Amino acid sequence: MARQPNRSKAKSPSPDEPAAEVEETTTGTGAAEAAESAAAAEPAEAVADDDPHEDDPDDDGPHDDESGVDPADQRAFWDEVRIDPVEIALPAGTGFTLRAYRMSNELTPTDTSDREDDDLFAARARQDAEEDEDLFTDEELAEQAEAAGREERRKARDADDEDEDLEEAEEPAAAATDDEDEEEEEEEEEAAEEVPVFLTHRGKLLLFRSAEGLVSFIRSGAPHDLAQVDTWTTLAERVEPVNVAPLDEDSYELDLVVENLRGGHDSWDPPLIIEAGEVARDLSYALRLPAVLDMLSPGSSLDDLDEALRGVVDGGIGGFMARRRLRKIGAQTASLGWRTIIGKISAAVDWRD
């Protein structure tokens, strides 16, 4: 009987053993080693199958927003209600509020009776009333009283013929009056324009230092001027703190404007100042701040500054000319003007939470 081969010497056959037996033994040893290698490789493959980084058909990929809310869905929500979250930085801090644009004939302006003397709109109304009182002289008023007396006497006549003549004469006049009323209504509709409305109350802008504070106020049912907007109920029912994420174009750094202007023409930041002008105009209208309206009105030095900066942003030949116009605007005048604007806006802010 042939002896068992020594595995450690299988590759060095003894001269007493047949070559075929040595080859068979060697082959068997290679197969065992291959099996052991395969068995050792199986756990590695199993680990690879459990790799958490492998594509999962149920995984829709990482969210763009760390909050887990799709930014596209957020934008769709605000577009639906046609109201936007706004972030405003002032010297006293940064806060959130809301802004919408609606037609002027759909809104009731904020109540500024507490500061009526400073209210441009109220002052104009008082001026119009005073002009109406001085519209007629004493003689004209006497003539009107006499005419009214004749009208009363005419109405007192009960003759049928005279009544019929009166009716015939009044019909064309009534038709003309109706036409005049329709024309006045059309003129009023044409005069209506899109205007800003903020989260304000009694002439104060409500600013919240946190999104949670803003949403808590919205859900509280407290009075404010934005409640008159047609989509307010929908917003109040659905808004969440995570939704309060203003776009870059709705974030305004008013706290940096004065310092930037003080740095001189070469350091002026056109986008910063242009955006500040946009929100300042909106706020001055919504808060009824006549001084700010006047300072930013067409033809003012700050409006000239705004136009020149827009020309610089547009570039080209117009940008070159705009830079030359900027050199003619005093840095000190611009910074002092904006300091006044920001001070008046800050005084009309009601900080919450």
Side-chain angles (χ1 to χ4, degrees):
M1 181 178 65
R3 61 185 179 87
Q4 294 295 328
N6 186 342
R7 295 182 183 273
S8 62
K9 299 179 180 181
K11 294 184 180 180
S12 302
S14 169
D16 298 334
E17 294 176 340
E21 184 178 352
V22 173
E23 181 178 354
E24 180 181 355
T25 302
T26 305
T27 302
T29 303
E33 291 177 352
E36 291 176 0
S37 300
E42 285 181 0
E45 293 176 357
V47 171
D49 291 339
D50 294 335
D51 188 355
H53 299 290
E54 188 175 355
D55 292 340
D56 185 351
D58 296 331
D59 186 4
D60 57 357
H63 293 286
D64 294 337
D65 192 334
E66 295 180 356
S67 63
V69 177
D70 189 345
D73 291 342
Q74 275 193 353
R75 194 63 249 164
F77 167 72
W78 294 113
D79 289 343
E80 178 184 347
V81 297
R82 294 185 298 136
I83 300 174
D84 292 301
V86 175
E87 185 178 27
I88 301 176
L90 291 168
T94 302
F96 297 104
T97 188
L98 299 175
R99 174 180 60 187
Y101 292 96
R102 295 293 188 273
M103 299 306 295
S104 56
N105 57 0
E106 299 176 3
L107 300 172
T108 299
T110 187
D111 180 12
T112 58
S113 57
D114 294 343
R115 52 182 173 89
E116 186 173 313
D117 293 340
D118 297 330
D119 188 349
L120 176 64
F121 303 92
R124 286 176 178 173
R126 289 195 303 273
Q127 181 179 357
D128 292 341
E130 292 172 359
E131 290 176 354
D132 290 341
E133 291 177 359
D134 298 335
L135 187 61
F136 302 104
T137 64
D138 293 341
E139 293 178 356
E140 290 172 333
L141 291 173
E143 291 177 1
Q144 291 181 9
E146 179 63 24
R150 288 196 300 268
E151 181 68 14
E152 290 296 330
R153 289 192 296 272
R154 184 183 62 79
K155 289 182 179 180
R157 298 171 186 172
D158 55 353
D160 294 340
D161 294 340
E162 292 179 358
D163 289 343
E164 291 176 0
D165 293 341
L166 179 61
E167 291 176 1
E168 291 176 359
E170 287 180 347
E171 286 179 359
T177 302
D178 292 340
D179 293 339
E180 292 176 357
D181 292 342
E182 291 178 359
E183 291 177 359
E184 290 178 357
E185 290 178 0
E186 291 178 358
E187 290 178 357
E188 289 178 357
E189 291 178 358
E190 293 176 358
E193 58 181 349
E194 191 175 66
V195 297
V197 55
F198 284 82
L199 191 62
T200 56
H201 182 57
R202 297 186 67 82
K204 293 285 188 178
L205 174 67
L206 306 183
L207 274 183
F208 298 82
R209 299 186 186 276
S210 68
E212 291 77 10
L214 173 58
V215 172
S216 177
F217 175 84
I218 292 172
R219 294 173 177 172
S220 69
H224 56 83
D225 299 313
L226 207 54
Q228 64 186 305
V229 173
D230 52 352
T231 57
W232 178 257
T233 302
T234 301
L235 183 147
E237 291 175 350
R238 294 170 49 188
V239 70
E240 297 290 342
V242 70
N243 298 129
V244 184
L247 298 174
D248 291 342
E249 61 201 52
D250 293 326
S251 297
Y252 305 96
E253 297 175 314
L254 296 181
D255 58 330
L256 302 180
V257 174
V258 173
E259 193 65 27
N260 181 256
L261 290 171
R262 285 176 176 171
H265 301 83
D266 294 334
S267 64
W268 286 355
D269 185 347
L272 170 70
I273 302 171
I274 292 172
E275 292 170 3
E278 291 173 351
V279 73
R281 288 182 178 89
D282 282 356
L283 288 170
S284 63
Y285 182 90
L287 295 171
R288 300 163 73 92
L289 300 174
V292 178
L293 281 173
D294 289 342
M295 294 179 70
L296 295 172
S297 62
S300 66
S301 60
L302 293 184
D303 184 65
D304 292 341
L305 170 64
D306 182 84
E307 289 297 326
L309 290 172
R310 291 178 186 272
V312 171
V313 172
D314 293 338
I317 298 298
F320 174 76
M321 299 301 295
R323 290 186 182 278
R324 294 187 62 181
R325 292 199 304 272
L326 279 180
R327 293 291 177 183
K328 300 178 180 179
I329 299 175
Q332 184 176 5
T333 300
S335 63
L336 287 175
W338 264 106
R339 181 179 179 181
T340 301
I341 289 175
I342 294 172
K344 290 187 175 296
I345 292 175
S346 298
V349 170
D350 183 2
W351 288 97
R352 300 296 181 94
D353 72 334

